[in-house]
Amino acid sequence: PVSISSGASSAQAGGVSIAVGATAGGADGSALSLAGGASDATGGAISMVSGTGAAGGAVSVSAASGVDMGGSVDISSGSASAGVAGSVSVAAGSSSTMDGG
């Protein structure tokens, strides 16, 4: 396996950033692809989880704005040729003392 991580700290731990290079001129920008491994059994999962704390870290997924057309955000589940297709779930957090999100 390949592991990329920053060290722990009692002050502020280091961050990890993955970015493709910018493209000059009229050429399209480079893509960044994140994919789980394929398998004859169960394919590899992808998990994005923010850090815990007095205030939990945010997770943001957004498409960029454009002059002629903004980017799209697509969320879809997997299909099944036999059996049950995947589902899409969206839920807001709860609070014991205030309204949820």
Side-chain angles (χ1 to χ4, degrees), residues 22-84:
T23 301
D28 290 343
S30 297
L32 175 64
S33 177
L34 178 65
S39 171
D40 289 338
T42 302
I46 296 175
S47 177
M48 294 191 312
V49 179
S50 64
T52 60
V59 174
S60 176
V61 177
S62 61
S65 300
V67 173
D68 295 326
M69 186 173 79
S72 299
V73 174
D74 296 324
I75 300 175
S76 61
S77 64
S79 58
S81 58
V84 179

